[in-house]
Amino acid sequence: MSSTGTTMKVYAALVVLALVATSRSSAIPRDDANKRVVDKELSDEKHFEGEDHNPDYDHEAFLGKDDAKTFDQLTPDESKERLAIIVDKIDKDKDGLVTEEELQNWIRYVQKRYIFQDTDRQWKEHEPEDDKLTWKSYKKRTYGFIDDDDKNEGDSNYDYADMVNRDEKRWKRAAENSDGSYLTKEQFANFLHPEEAKHMRDVVVEETIADIDKDKDGFISLEEYIGDMWPNKDKEEEPDWVKTEREQFSSFRDKNKDGKMDKDEVADWIMPPDYDHSSAEAQHLIHESDTDRDSKLSKQEILDKFDIFVGSQATDFGEALTKHDEF
């Protein structure tokens, strides 16, 4: 192959890598280990920085990342006006009070809405035929630059082939009872967001282990766990949060105390069975806003603490007024 051809293929690989990272960011495990926990975050923002509360987390949990952005451009009065309309939507029984259950259902709806919108966007981009998207079509559109006869160990194509193999395995699991040659739109949603489908969760666990397990023994050791969270390439002194994570690993993650996490322990880590983040966020918002301590929120209580829920000139309302009617 000519040097020009090689250069072009490397360039194409980099371009496609960026595109895949964008289109699949919600499905591929991220390098930031704080994002490993599938059910953990309702926002990419950290909820607390030490003891300092970050309201941006609440804004994204309450509105969704996209809807949060428009509020950031509004005046306080505009924010309150639009928030009042959302409160009416949350108050399903129309008794003038928002309960923890109603608030929790709203937060869950916001999260599901993102998954629906992301799936719909990518489904249209891939141009399925007869309501089916074939693996061949998906692979060609996503990884079309790879030549199956040109995968030499050490080059970009060889490394990228691992991602193709991972996608194909996930694809076949999403296909369930079919031969894996195509996916329906619902199956495609499970492919993009496997953490949302029970029959796909083993895939999430397997991919997480594959990412972190550097010695390829099928387990995650303490050093692999810490190294994924804090690579420490500069050989700095461990901060307190890393020391805390070491303690977490030994005390809670490694349940059978064999010095490593197996598949079941990894599953409990990234998909904790005993913690509902939507419920926790609803409780947090009520605690911060419930001035009369009746465990419910009136519209006025929410508007008085509007900056906790939405902010102003600081959170994308966008379609919240026009496309939330289905909630």
Side-chain angles (χ1 to χ4, degrees):
M1 181 184 293
S2 69
S3 59
T4 300
T6 300
T7 300
M8 289 301 294
K9 295 200 89 174
V10 171
Y11 174 75
L14 292 173
V15 170
V16 175
L17 181 61
L19 290 173
V20 172
T22 300
S23 65
R24 292 283 308 285
S25 61
S26 61
I28 297 175
R30 298 181 176 94
D31 290 335
D32 179 359
N34 290 326
K35 303 291 191 280
R36 294 283 182 198
V37 181
V38 172
D39 288 340
K40 178 177 145 182
E41 301 295 349
L42 300 173
S43 162
D44 287 339
E45 299 285 342
K46 290 185 178 180
H47 204 177
F48 289 89
E49 294 281 1
E51 296 182 356
D52 295 328
H53 175 251
N54 178 14
D56 288 342
Y57 178 99
D58 298 321
H59 300 167
E60 291 190 8
F62 183 74
L63 292 170
K65 180 184 293 187
D66 290 337
D67 282 357
K69 292 177 182 177
T70 294
F71 265 99
D72 288 349
Q73 310 305 317
L74 301 177
T75 66
D77 287 342
E78 290 171 329
S79 288
K80 290 180 181 180
E81 181 180 350
R82 297 192 181 189
L83 175 58
I85 298 174
I86 293 180
V87 173
D88 290 337
K89 293 178 181 292
I90 299 173
D91 180 18
K92 301 299 285 186
D93 60 9
K94 306 303 178 186
D95 67 349
L97 295 172
V98 172
T99 65
E100 180 182 323
E101 181 179 4
E102 288 173 328
L103 190 52
Q104 181 178 334
N105 288 340
W106 171 263
I107 293 169
R108 286 175 175 166
Y109 160 72
V110 169
Q111 302 305 310
K112 289 183 180 296
R113 182 189 62 193
Y114 163 73
I115 292 171
F116 173 82
Q117 291 174 340
D118 181 57
T119 300
D120 191 56
R121 174 181 60 81
Q122 295 201 50
W123 183 255
K124 291 175 181 177
E125 287 177 356
H126 283 284
E127 300 177 347
E129 295 184 4
D130 299 324
D131 295 323
K132 296 178 181 178
L133 178 60
T134 66
W135 166 249
K136 182 178 179 180
S137 175
Y138 174 84
K139 180 182 176 183
K140 182 176 180 180
R141 186 179 181 88
T142 309
Y143 303 102
F145 71 92
I146 293 180
D147 184 346
D148 289 335
D149 297 324
D150 185 26
K151 296 176 184 174
N152 298 311
E153 187 169 358
D155 68 20
S156 59
N157 283 356
Y158 183 88
D159 294 336
Y160 217 69
D162 288 342
M163 293 189 69
V164 178
N165 293 335
R166 172 182 289 198
D167 266 5
E168 186 172 16
K169 183 176 181 180
R170 184 190 290 192
W171 183 280
K172 290 179 178 179
R173 189 73 62 89
E176 295 187 270
N177 297 326
S178 74
D179 62 2
S181 62
Y182 69 86
L183 296 181
T184 64
K185 188 175 183 180
E186 182 178 357
Q187 291 169 337
F188 188 58
N190 293 336
F191 170 74
L192 293 175
H193 302 279
E195 70 280 358
E196 297 298 322
K198 288 185 178 180
H199 71 281
M200 296 290 293
R201 292 197 166 194
D202 283 349
V203 173
V204 181
V205 173
E206 291 165 6
E207 291 179 359
T208 300
I209 292 175
D211 285 341
I212 305 176
D213 175 25
K214 301 306 181 185
D215 61 12
K216 303 305 177 187
D217 65 350
F219 300 92
I220 296 178
S221 67
L222 172 59
E223 293 311 312
E224 288 169 336
Y225 175 80
I226 295 298
D228 182 65
M229 291 187 170
W230 193 59
N232 194 17
K233 296 177 181 178
D234 297 328
K235 305 300 180 183
E236 299 174 351
E237 182 179 353
E238 282 190 355
D240 289 341
W241 71 266
V242 174
K243 295 176 182 177
T244 299
E245 284 298 334
R246 286 186 180 276
E247 295 173 3
Q248 287 284 321
F249 183 95
S250 299
S251 301
F252 301 106
R253 310 277 186 243
D254 178 20
K255 291 180 168 58
N256 61 8
K257 308 305 177 186
D258 64 352
K260 55 193 176 184
M261 285 195 288
D262 57 26
K263 287 185 177 181
D264 291 338
E265 290 166 333
V266 171
D268 287 344
W269 167 40
I270 64 175
M271 295 175 286
D274 56 353
Y275 190 77
D276 186 325
H277 292 276
S278 296
S279 176
E281 177 64 9
Q283 292 171 13
H284 166 72
L285 292 173
I286 289 176
H287 175 76
E288 294 295 324
S289 311
D290 181 20
T291 54
D292 63 9
R293 298 304 175 194
D294 64 351
S295 299
K296 300 177 183 179
L297 298 180
S298 67
K299 180 185 287 189
Q300 192 58 51
E301 285 176 321
I302 292 174
L303 296 181
D304 286 345
K305 295 292 184 71
F306 78 99
D307 55 324
I308 293 176
F309 292 85
V310 298
S312 66
Q313 290 184 341
T315 0
D316 175 304
F317 183 73
E319 300 172 331
L321 295 178
T322 60
K323 293 192 176 180
H324 284 177
D325 291 338
E326 69 272 24
F327 170 70

